[in-house]
Structure formats: C-alpha cells, structure tokens
C-alpha cells in the first residue's frame, strides 16, 4: 500500500516525534542513502523557493536524483489529464512532490499514482512546512507538548497544517483572525480531534493580544496567498490591526520566538525588519524544510 502525504493528518500523531528525531539526526550529519538509485519528480503549479530548493537538495543528500517540471511544460489538467500525468510519472520515478492550487487536483493525482505523493503546498494545506515548523519548535523549546503557540492572521493553508502539527504533539495553538478569515470550522474540529489523544488544543479568537499573551511562539503568514492576488485590497482592509511587530511580541512570553514560513510582506503582516529581530527564528525554519522533508522521504520510500 503506497503511503502519501497529502494532508498533515496522513501521518498518525504518534509518528510525528520519531520523524522529527530522524530529521534532527540527519541535520546533525547522519548519512543516508535511502534514495540511492531513486528519482524524485517535483511538479509545481505555483512559484517556489524553499520547497523546490529543499526537495532538490534533500533528494541529492539521500543519494537520489531530483527532476523539476514547470507548470508550462506539463500543463497539468490542461495539456494532459491529471491522472495520465500521475501514471506516466509513476512508471519512471519513485516519489512525486506536487504543488497545486486545488487540494482536489493533488488528490486526483495521488489516486492515479502508484508511487508516494507529497503535498508541496495546496490552497488547503502546507504539511511539509508544518513538519519543519514543529522540528524548529522542538529545537527551541525541547518539546511542543504544553507549548503555547499564537498564529496571527489568515486561517490559510499554513495555519491549517500547523494546527494539526502542534495539536498532534500536545501543544496549544491559538489563532487570531478577523471575522471571515478564521480556520475553516471543519479543520478546527479536525485538528482538535487529531490532537485529543496528545492533549493538544486549537482555539480561535479575533484578538491578537489575547492570542499572544504568554505565548512561547508567535507565528504569522501572508494575508494574501498565491492565487488570491485579486483579493489583495479587500484583505489589506480586513487584516488591518493584525500586523505582528516588536510591540506585539513584547506582550508574549519573555523568551518568545517569532516564526514565519516566508516569503514575507513587510509592511503588511509584519513590521519592517521583524525577520531580523533577535527573537526571529525564520531562517532556522527555512533550513529545517530540508531536514524534515528528507526524513519524510526516507519514511515514504
Ligand atoms: N500561505 C502562503 C504560503 C507560502 C509558502 C501561500 O499559499 O501563498
């Protein structure tokens, strides 16, 4: 049975900790030839820096060969049906790393694929980012269990996957979002169900000050995600008052760390210079994409 990673809850909550431990081992220099002789195809419908870099370089570190296919050359679902592309790639490659707009496109791809398919971001989830995020929190705090994480902003793909990851490891995540931009109700319920055995909890508020009070981690993401550009003006107005700046971090725990999955839009969801605040760990997060995904590929292959 082929195992995919299309949404964070595709891995059982009990499997997260060992995966992070392996990611940290690989980061510390453990060598692996888990992908020796294997090919990893990266098929992306949206732009990417960190995801493309980290899967490409991570594949090489595990002894495999990466191949990138741009949206133009494939025409996923336009030049050729999604299922046919999945079948062809499955005949030649060993893992498919896929970034699509719609979650249903990657699901359709995985249904037809006979190799593991990894979600490299969809409109609904960003599960690889969440793996790197919880790895980063473990490195900083020693554990996610009992940690207090505040997510300020849009209840988007990044927020959804982070909710599952934090709850699954027994952490508490509070999202502060304006009305209409909360975590989808089904995902709030899903993340709480996923985290219930670990003592995890996800709650929603409209007040950033309430979310950050006592928080060990303050996290934000862009207000306008890829594909939502025509909503920019409406979103800028809706998220007024939700910017993360040094003064908001001052209201969190004295040892608070600031996280962002990048790319950031300074002047919107963060104040200018916040990425370089001494409390920022955003570049650790970016690096950990490499190690968390290497551990994930080892597991799926
Ligand atoms: N929410 C953002 C994440 C980018 C890595 C987006 O989907 O554009």
């Amino acid at each position: 049975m082929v195992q995919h990673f299309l949404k964070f809850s595709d891995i059982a909550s009990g499997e997260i900790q060992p995966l992070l431990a392996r990611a940290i081992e690989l980061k510390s220099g453990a060598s692996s030839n888990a992908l020796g002789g294997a090919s990893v195809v990266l098929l992306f419908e949206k732009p990417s820096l960190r995801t493309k870099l980290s899967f490409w370089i991570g594949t090489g570190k595990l002894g495999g060969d990466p191949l990138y296919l741009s949206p133009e050359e494939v025409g996923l679902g336009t030049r050729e049906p999604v299922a046919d592309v999945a079948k062809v790639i499955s005949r030649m490659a060993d893992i498919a790393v896929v970034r699509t707009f719609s979650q249903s496109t990657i699901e359709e791809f995985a249904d037809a694929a006979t190799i593991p398919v990894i979600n490299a971001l969809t409109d609904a989830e960003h599960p690889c980012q969440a793996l790197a995020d919880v790895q980063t929190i473990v490195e900083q705090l020693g554990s996610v269990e009992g940690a207090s994480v505040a997510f300020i902003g849009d209840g988007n793909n990044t927020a959804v996957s982070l909710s599952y990851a934090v709850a699954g490891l027994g952490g508490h995540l509070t999202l502060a979002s304006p009305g209409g931009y909360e975590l989808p109700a089904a995902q709030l319920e899903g993340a709480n169900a996923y985290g219930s055995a670990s003592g995890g909890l996800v709650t929603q508020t409209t007040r950033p000050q309430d979310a950050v009070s006592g928080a060990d981690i303050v996290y934000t993401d862009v207000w306008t995600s890829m594909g939502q550009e025509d909503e920019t003006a409406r979103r800028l107005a809706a998220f007024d008052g939700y910017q993360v700046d040094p003064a908001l971090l001052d209201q969190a725990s004295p040892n608070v760390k600031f996280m962002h999955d990048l790319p950031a839009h300074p002047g919107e969801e963060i104040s200018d210079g916040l990425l370089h605040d001494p409390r920022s760990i955003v570049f650790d997060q970016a690096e950990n994409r490499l190690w968390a995904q290497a551990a994930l590929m080892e597991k799926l292959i």
Side-chain angles (χ1 to χ4, degrees):
M1 170 86 177
V2 180
Q3 201 188 349
H4 302 302
F5 189 51
L6 306 182
K7 53 187 191 307
F8 196 89
S9 59
D10 282 344
I11 52 172
S13 57
E15 295 176 298
I16 313 171
Q17 198 66 64
L19 205 134
L20 300 186
R22 181 58 182 157
I24 290 169
E25 232 172 65
L26 290 167
K27 187 176 181 177
S28 313
S31 69
S32 168
N33 193 40
L35 296 182
S39 298
V40 175
V41 166
L42 313 181
L43 177 66
F44 285 25
E45 282 188 335
K46 302 179 187 179
S48 170
L49 172 66
R50 276 149 294 277
T51 306
K52 183 173 168 183
L53 263 179
S54 53
F55 272 108
W56 187 297
I57 294 172
T59 296
K61 284 192 185 294
L62 301 183
D65 287 317
L67 174 77
Y68 174 73
L69 296 172
S70 68
E72 300 74 35
E73 57 196 329
V74 178
L76 191 63
T78 51
R79 183 171 168 270
E80 196 160 351
V82 172
D84 292 358
V85 175
K87 285 178 185 166
V88 171
I89 291 176
S90 296
R91 291 293 181 107
M92 302 190 204
D94 302 279
I95 295 181
V97 176
V98 181
R99 170 170 287 195
T100 57
F101 286 93
S102 157
Q103 182 75 18
S104 62
T105 305
I106 196 169
E107 282 167 4
E108 189 183 344
F109 186 100
D111 282 347
T114 53
I115 57 173
V117 178
I118 296 175
N119 179 340
L121 180 142
T122 61
D123 292 347
E125 284 227 26
H126 198 2
C128 293
Q129 178 68 52
L131 276 181
D133 294 340
V134 284
Q135 180 189 337
T136 310
I137 297 173
V138 168
E139 288 172 352
Q140 292 289 331
L141 307 179
S143 166
V144 176
E145 192 175 0
S148 167
V149 180
F151 184 98
I152 312 300
D154 193 14
N156 62 14
N157 44 10
T158 301
V160 166
S161 297
L162 184 70
S163 298
Y164 282 86
V166 169
L169 287 169
H172 294 182
L173 183 84
T174 308
L175 292 105
S177 318
Y181 296 92
E182 302 92 346
L183 209 67
Q187 299 286 21
L188 182 62
E189 201 181 311
N192 275 309
Y194 181 75
S196 62
S198 326
L201 183 67
V202 183
T203 55
Q204 180 83 57
T205 174
T206 53
R207 288 176 44 84
Q209 293 74 12
D210 291 350
V212 302
S213 171
D216 303 301
I217 301 286
V218 174
Y219 196 129
T220 191
D221 184 22
V222 292
W223 293 340
T224 303
S225 286
M226 289 180 274
Q228 299 173 331
E229 290 76 8
D230 57 352
E231 299 173 23
T232 301
R234 181 153 55 85
R235 285 174 170 270
L236 282 175
F239 286 98
D240 187 28
Y242 285 80
Q243 184 182 82
V244 178
D245 61 11
L248 189 68
L249 294 184
D250 289 345
Q251 296 177 49
S253 147
N255 296 318
V256 67
K257 302 294 178 199
F258 167 68
M259 297 178 73
H260 192 306
D261 52 320
L262 305 176
H265 296 166
E268 295 185 15
E269 80 279 3
I270 56 162
S271 56
D272 283 338
L274 196 72
L275 297 183
H276 310 288
D277 187 284
R279 294 169 285 190
S280 164
I281 53 170
V282 300
F283 299 107
D284 295 319
Q285 264 181 280
E287 180 191 340
N288 285 340
R289 297 292 305 280
L290 178 60
W291 307 112
Q293 291 160 194
L296 175 71
M297 288 193 286
E298 268 193 345
K299 178 177 161 57
L300 297 183
I301 198 88

